[in-house]
Amino acid sequence: MKSYREWLTYSPTTDRAYCFPCWGFANRCGKDYESTFGEYGFYNWKKATDKFKTHEHTPAHCDAVHLMMQAKQRLKLGKTVNEEQLRAHERQVKQNRQVLCRLLDATFYLAKQNLPLRGHRETLPSTRQTQYTCGGKVQNEGNFLELVKLLSKYDGILANHIATAQMNASYLSPQIQNEFISTLASNVRSSIISEVKSAHYYGVILDSTIDISHVDQFSVCLRYVDEQSVYRDKEE
């Protein structure tokens, strides 16, 4: 009489039988664990029927089957360790993007208003520990950090980021501020170039002057009429 056993697998390479649940889920340090089925493979075919019956009733095998069924259920529900880690990573990526959007908006606002970002004293730990206050004695840390602190007072995402972010991932350092400025400048420059290319006529004015530090400052001015017949004047 044939008996179908889902746990039993066979390897043509080794010509041996294995117990899949024990191979993948059994506690190999347990006293009831049978390494013949879980690691080395069973090949005594004359005693196969009796050995199979004995093995499938051992506590180690039953525990392994139970763990395997739980793993299958978690896979169906998407509750495996990998899935949880992936979802946590996706949540972190989403949160970082939301934070970066706010910080880029703050940078864009200051640049549009021709306001400097940096302050004389910028200490990130104090940024984490204090909030924006009017008329207080809190050290002024520059327009960018002060604006971020002000926004965090009304924005939960930004407030949580300031309170919990690691110092090497705060996105508030002077280096990151410079990267924000460069990124925005590149985006604005690309937009202007696209508008100029679509304009029928445009003019270019170039000028150069030496500043107080004896550095040559080169400026470019573009004048053109866009597709809506609006006069544009861009300087760099």
Side-chain angles (χ1 to χ4, degrees), residues 48-66:
T49 302
D50 295 335
K51 288 292 185 180
F52 291 165
K53 288 181 179 179
T54 302
H55 174 74
E56 63 187 0
H57 290 94
T58 59
H61 172 80
C62 294
D63 291 341
V65 171
H66 180 66

Side-chain angles (χ1 to χ4, degrees), residues 51-186:
K51 288 292 185 180
F52 291 165
K53 288 181 179 179
T54 302
H55 174 74
E56 63 187 0
H57 290 94
T58 59
H61 172 80
C62 294
D63 291 341
V65 171
H66 180 66
L67 291 175
M68 184 179 71
M69 297 303 295
Q70 286 183 334
K72 287 183 177 180
Q73 188 67 19
R74 287 195 297 269
L75 285 172
K76 290 181 180 179
L77 299 176
K79 292 185 177 181
T80 61
V81 174
N82 289 338
E83 290 290 338
E84 291 293 336
Q85 290 178 342
L86 180 60
R87 280 194 288 268
H89 175 70
E90 291 175 348
R91 288 193 297 268
Q92 186 64 47
V93 169
K94 181 180 179 180
Q95 179 181 344
N96 289 344
R97 287 176 177 173
Q98 292 174 332
V99 171
L100 286 174
C101 286
R102 287 157 172 77
L103 297 180
L104 283 170
D105 282 342
T107 306
F108 182 76
Y109 169 78
L110 295 173
K112 185 178 179 181
Q113 299 302 117
N114 290 323
L115 296 174
L117 274 70
R118 302 286 302 280
H120 292 292
R121 297 179 179 85
E122 293 183 350
T123 53
L124 295 182
S126 65
T127 303
R128 173 172 297 184
Q129 296 169 3
T130 62
Q131 292 183 342
Y132 181 83
T133 57
C134 294
K137 296 183 179 180
V138 179
Q139 174 179 294
N140 190 321
E141 297 176 313
N143 291 328
F144 178 76
L145 293 182
E146 292 298 329
L147 179 58
V148 169
K149 287 194 290 183
L150 174 60
L151 293 176
S152 67
K153 187 176 180 180
Y154 305 97
D155 185 88
I157 294 176
L158 203 53
N160 179 69
H161 173 73
I162 293 176
T164 62
Q166 298 293 328
M167 295 305 298
N168 60 350
S170 66
Y171 310 124
L172 300 174
S173 67
Q175 293 78 13
I176 297 299
Q177 294 178 38
N178 291 337
E179 289 188 22
F180 287 162
I181 295 173
S182 298
T183 300
L184 292 173
S186 177

